[in-house]
Amino acid sequence: MSSKRDSGGFTLIELMIVVVVVALLAAIALPSFMNSIRKSRRAEAVASISAIEQAQERWRANNTTYAANSVLTTAAPNGLGQPATTENGRYSLALSGNNETGYVVTATAVTTGSQASDTQGSTSCATLTVTITNGNGVKAPAACWSQ
């Protein structure tokens, strides 16, 4: 006589081990995945900042100073005709420090979404700025602009 047992499935212990392994993998992968999503969404802010920079140069060609925040959303030719938020509303946009030689464009992540917790290493990327002085731009924080 054979003492073989007819096994037709998994034991509860085997299933629990599989569940624990899957949970550990998810716990490790999810934060990295969310950081990648936030980094890709930064491109939305970069594109909007670039559009504002181009509109500012068109404005400056016809005026003695760069445009102020008060005309950011006003349609051209009396303003820049740019939206006050990025395309999907993840960042609010603003101009400051405008004069005849430069200005500052700021994109600030809205606090209602996960974009506000965007980081690159230990640097917060919730606020991105470009400071234009005499035609030269300085992007800050620098770590958030690297691709």
Side-chain angles (χ1 to χ4, degrees):
M1 285 209 157
S2 174
S3 65
K4 269 189 172 181
R5 229 172 69 182
D6 188 63
S7 177
F10 298 107
T11 66
L12 183 59
I13 297 295
E14 291 170 331
L15 287 175
M16 292 304 292
I17 290 171
V18 169
V19 168
V20 167
V21 168
V22 169
L24 285 172
L25 290 174
I28 293 169
L30 188 62
S32 177
F33 175 71
M34 292 307 295
N35 281 337
S36 295
I37 294 292
R38 284 189 286 270
K39 184 176 179 181
S40 70
R41 289 178 178 167
R42 251 186 261 152
E44 182 180 322
V46 171
S48 293
I49 289 172
S50 178
I52 290 173
E53 288 179 277
Q54 292 171 10
Q56 279 283 41
E57 293 306 318
R58 288 191 298 274
W59 174 272
R60 181 65 174 93
N62 297 314
N63 297 282
T64 58
T65 65
Y66 285 102
N69 195 56
S70 60
V71 295
L72 175 65
T73 59
T74 306
N78 297 324
L80 298 180
Q82 298 296 310
T85 61
T86 57
E87 183 179 354
N88 293 312
R90 292 187 179 100
Y91 290 86
S92 60
L93 303 166
L95 289 168
S96 61
N98 66 299
N99 58 37
E100 55 279 344
T101 61
Y103 58 93
V104 177
V105 183
T106 304
T108 305
V110 295
T111 57
T112 57
S114 70
Q115 205 61 29
S117 60
D118 184 19
T119 59
Q120 184 70 35
S122 62
T123 304
S124 172
C125 297
T127 300
L128 303 172
T129 63
V130 175
T131 303
I132 304 292
T133 306
N134 295 322
N136 296 315
V138 175
K139 298 172 179 176
C144 300
W145 291 85
S146 63
Q147 296 298 328

